[in-house]
Amino acid sequence: MSHSSEIQPKDIAKPVDKLGEVYSLMVLSAPYDKEGMEPDLKEPKDSWKTKFCASLDGFIALDTLVRPSTSEEEDEFVQKFINGLAKLFADSNNNFLQPLQLTMDYCAKCNTCSEACHVFEATNRHELYRPIFRSEVFRKIYKKYFTPGGKLLGKFVGADIDINWESIARLGELAYRCNLCRRCAQTCPLGLDNGTLTHEIRKIFSQEMGIAPTALHTKGTELQLKTGSSTGMNKLAFLDTIEFLEEEIEEKTGRKIKIPIDKKGADFLLTHNAGEYLAWPENPAAFAILFEEAGLNWTLSSSMIGYDNVNYGIWYDDTMARKVALQQFEAAKELGIQRIVIGECGHAHKAGIVSSDRMTYGEDKVRVESCLPLLWELVETKRLTFNPEKNNFPVTLHDPCNIVRHMGIVQPQRNILKAICPQFREMTPHGVDNYCCGGGSGFAVMQSLNFPDFRNKISTRMKFQQILNAFDEELVTNTDIVKYVCAPCSNCKGAIRDMLEYYQATDRFNIHYGGLVELMVNALTTLEQPYLTFTDE
Ligand code: SF4
Ligand code: SF4
């Protein structure tokens, strides 16, 4: 079975090598409309097919979901899933139960949500990626096991589904074909949320079955709880990194800045996604330059997890998320600080400001806020002064879903860009209607097996098209000019970095990406040298 329109949710258990094949993709606009402008998709290796679940669409996200070798193992796998399903609908799942139950009970199958989904659109509307395909599979399983009608009447009440290793494993894989961007939820006339439902499927796999992508769990949350950071950076390495940043700042700007660490009595604790220190150190360095020039009373923390605001648990496992959140609050409390400011990381915004608030109680809590309103305040009140001519090249803005659609922080970042970038232009659509970068919900850091192909070719495709649209004039008239995609989010930057490399867009068309604060520092009137350097200039 592979032709998209023939696939139905009840087919999820069908004994075929691949339930669906991605044959055609949304055509990209010029100059990417020609043959040879992007790599072809490859078949998964035979050894992967026998070891993992490649039978959904050929991609493998769950590198810890291994095929059973005995029928007992298969039975145990199915039973654990059913046990987990029961727990989702228990009162103890109090943060998620209501939206989950509503989404299960009230879908009108109107398909308004389908058109909102970039994965569905990127695959020329492949049935497997229709938001309610996944929900309907889940709904059928639920009905079969947990409703009196489903147990007795089966297919007559929509519980027509076979349950075995293949069907549950495919559902697990399907839960990792969704970026949890919740653009679909925003459009649903009934307010139903297929993203939350997907999150809940991931939760069963992790909390009940011990199955989650290695990049998120073992090399993500577990490593963070063990060493202090999902990057594996311990306290000593963090302190070394800060010294390195100070040297870099001096070399680039001539300024001797002592970056404050563990400063008691600071007004706020600034936290970064620790990936920034390793992949984009110019970003935390830019924060330090701006905050020092503005004379703010701030600090970083060197405590366990106090220097890494990552919380991958929010994508797959509430228990893990809560453990990380508590440690992050603790780092602030140790310094007597009651205000944490989150740097440029989207999921850390949602994890720190929204999710952590719901997962903690009373004195555990610390006030957490976004860096973006603070940065805009520094611009608006002229505590910092800028020469926009220094940023006189085309700039567009990616809206990280977690910050913008999920939290409603829409204006500060674009107000700043309007003030400091004369050639700023919006993507279409933008703001709360933005499309996900394609790296959301952990995809940006999931690099195992052939999953990067899914991300680069499919889940980021709509964002790449938006970037091409934003620079459409320059892509024809001025391919050499620097073009800058501003993405104030660490994970989005990771996805955009890999996307630009996959499509060779930097080499071919001089398209670059980076954060917001780097553009701010680049435009500071007090800085003599450019802060941003572009390799192709
Ligand atoms: S949450 Fe985003 S990726 Fe997932 S189904 Fe909805 S629109 Fe598609
Ligand atoms: S828009 Fe809402 S009601 Fe309509 S199909 Fe999607 S989830 Fe169901």
Side-chain angles (χ1 to χ4, degrees), residues 99-100 102-104 106-117 129-139 174-175 178-189 191-202:
L100 175 66
L102 290 172
T103 304
M104 291 297 279
Y106 288 104
C107 179
K109 315 275 172 22
C110 67
N111 272 308
T112 311
C113 54
S114 303
E115 285 171 25
C117 177
Y129 309 117
R130 188 184 287 283
I132 60 167
F133 182 94
R134 179 174 35 243
S135 308
E136 195 55 19
V137 171
F138 188 66
R139 202 173 276 123
L174 258 184
C178 163
N179 284 116
L180 307 185
C181 74
R182 298 169 74 216
R183 196 170 190 270
C184 54
Q186 184 171 256
T187 62
C188 174
L192 309 185
D193 189 345
N194 290 297
T196 290
L197 192 143
T198 307
H199 170 272
E200 295 299 279
I201 299 171
R202 291 183 180 194

Side-chain angles (χ1 to χ4, degrees), residues 92-106:
S92 52
N93 190 21
N94 55 359
N95 278 340
F96 294 94
L97 182 56
Q98 190 182 39
L100 175 66
Q101 191 73 63
L102 290 172
T103 304
M104 291 297 279
D105 292 349
Y106 288 104

